[in-house]
Amino acid sequence: MHHEAVLFDMDGVLVDSEHYWVEREERDILPWAVPDATVEPSEITGMNYREIHDYLTEHYDVAVGKEAWVERFDETAAEIYTDHAALLSGFEDWLPAARADVPVAVVSSSPQDWIAMVCERFDLAFDARISAEDIDAPGKPEPDIYEHAADVVGVEPGRCVAVEDSEHGIASAVAADCTCIGYVSGADDALDHSAADHVVDSPADLLATVDELLGRGG
């Protein structure tokens, strides 16, 4: 069976921003928000940043309010996406060719403003940009965002390829019945990709595996 759509996570997949996020969370953000405990970035990777604050409040003694938390993340995002993050190697040429055959969408826990920063910086055009903040439902690791994305592109989840780098993202895609490619970006060695249907560790292998699942190879 050939698949009929591709749903890409953004952070750690389309752009190598995850390395910067892990560094900032580990060094600055998490110690600032939870000064009396050690929270590993892998515990929250892939979650929507607003939901991360809710999660931390439920499990830890959080020292900062949600408004300050959101402001800190927005400031950090602007710096990472406009100054530091690089695009997945080979993606710039791959995307328009793939879109001639199938819908290609971004499915991210990040808000639309952050997705727009990446798309504008690298001049990327997708068939849809899906943010966790677009849906009135839980974000990753729950399946809702991928079910919604499949509906937006008009393809059954079981015929969608989802590309994810985090445990929460992989769990979301698999629960939605997408065929999931787990991308080992190297940003966080603590992440477990074993729940994905396919695991790759280079941009070339990632795009080749997507093409194979779409029946676009050779």
Side-chain angles (χ1 to χ4, degrees), residues 47 51-62:
M47 298 173 66
E51 292 184 356
I52 291 173
H53 189 273
D54 298 336
Y55 169 84
L56 293 174
T57 300
E58 181 180 351
H59 293 90
Y60 298 95
D61 184 12
V62 176

Side-chain angles (χ1 to χ4, degrees), residues 128-178:
R129 302 177 188 177
I130 310 297
S131 164
E133 297 186 357
D134 296 338
I135 60 174
D136 184 20
K140 303 172 186 178
E142 301 303 320
D144 304 77
I145 188 170
Y146 275 106
E147 293 170 346
H148 174 71
D151 185 59
V152 169
V153 299
V155 177
E156 289 294 321
R159 290 188 173 272
C160 292
V161 178
V163 185
E164 279 284 355
D165 71 312
S166 71
E167 293 173 35
H168 288 121
I170 291 170
S172 176
V174 170
D177 199 33
C178 299

Side-chain angles (χ1 to χ4, degrees), residues 89-166:
S89 178
F91 190 77
E92 185 176 11
D93 293 329
W94 180 90
L95 177 59
R99 287 188 62 216
D101 298 329
V102 297
V104 181
V106 181
V107 182
S108 177
S109 294
S110 295
Q112 287 288 358
D113 287 350
W114 298 7
I115 299 172
M117 288 182 200
V118 170
C119 291
E120 290 167 11
R121 181 181 174 195
F122 298 108
D123 194 23
L124 303 177
F126 292 93
D127 294 283
R129 302 177 188 177
I130 310 297
S131 164
E133 297 186 357
D134 296 338
I135 60 174
D136 184 20
K140 303 172 186 178
E142 301 303 320
D144 304 77
I145 188 170
Y146 275 106
E147 293 170 346
H148 174 71
D151 185 59
V152 169
V153 299
V155 177
E156 289 294 321
R159 290 188 173 272
C160 292
V161 178
V163 185
E164 279 284 355
D165 71 312
S166 71

